[in-house]
Amino acid sequence: QVQLVESGGGLVQPGGSLRLSCAASGFSLSLDYYAIGWFRQAPGKEREGVSCISSSDGSTSYAEPVKGRFTVSMDKAKNTVYLQMNSLKPEDTAVYYCATDPGTYGAGCYGSPTVVAFGNWGQGTQVTVSS
C-alpha cells in the first residue's frame, strides 16, 4: 500500500527557509520509477503544483512562482523526497502535500505537476510565512 508522510512544516519569517520531507512506503524509489510531486493549497484556493522529481530519470520541474527559490531532491536510500524552500514569502503560506501515482511509472517531470495525474497523497504539512 502506497503511503506518503510529509514533515518539516512550521512557522517561519519572510526570507527564511524550511526543508520539507516526504517519506514514502509501500513502494521503492529505487525500483519503482514513479514521479513525486509537491503541491500546496492555501485557504480558499485550489491545490496547485509546486515541483516534481522523477525517480526514473532524475528530471525536476518547478512552478514559476517558486523557481530559483525551491529545490526538490531525492534520497533513494532513505526512500524520501525533500523540498528545500528558501527566500520564503507570505504568499508561500499553505498546506504542502507530496503525491505519487503508479501511472507516473517511467515518466519524467516537465512543467508544473498537475493534481489529476497523482492519486496517492500524504496528509499535508502546514507552512506559515509571517513576521
Side-chain angles (χ1 to χ4, degrees):
Q1 181 181 359
V2 172
Q3 286 192 322
L4 301 168
V5 179
E6 303 94 336
S7 62
L11 173 64
V12 63
Q13 292 186 342
S17 298
L18 282 174
R19 188 179 79 158
L20 305 184
S21 299
C22 173
S25 61
F27 70 101
S28 168
L29 292 172
S30 298
L31 302 176
D32 300 304
Y33 298 118
Y34 297 164
I36 306 295
W38 281 100
F39 299 81
R40 65 187 182 185
Q41 188 166 19
K45 294 189 176 181
E46 293 187 354
R47 192 170 298 188
E48 63 178 2
V50 173
S51 182
C52 178
I53 185 167
S54 168
S55 63
S56 174
D57 62 8
S59 57
T60 60
S61 64
Y62 300 91
E64 284 296 331
V66 308
K67 279 184 179 179
R69 300 188 297 123
F70 290 11
T71 303
V72 63
S73 62
M74 178 182 294
D75 186 333
K76 291 188 175 184
K78 295 183 177 180
N79 223 36
T80 299
V81 173
Y82 303 98
L83 184 67
Q84 178 67 44
M85 306 187 297
N86 298 329
S87 301
L88 283 162
K89 305 175 181 180
E91 51 263 44
D92 295 318
T93 295
V95 177
Y96 283 71
Y97 301 88
C98 61
T100 192
D101 194 282
T104 65
Y105 186 95
C109 287
Y110 308 96
S112 299
T114 55
V115 172
V116 294
F118 293 81
N120 300 94
W121 295 80
Q123 83 288 349
T125 185
Q126 176 70 47
V127 172
T128 303
V129 185
S130 175
S131 55

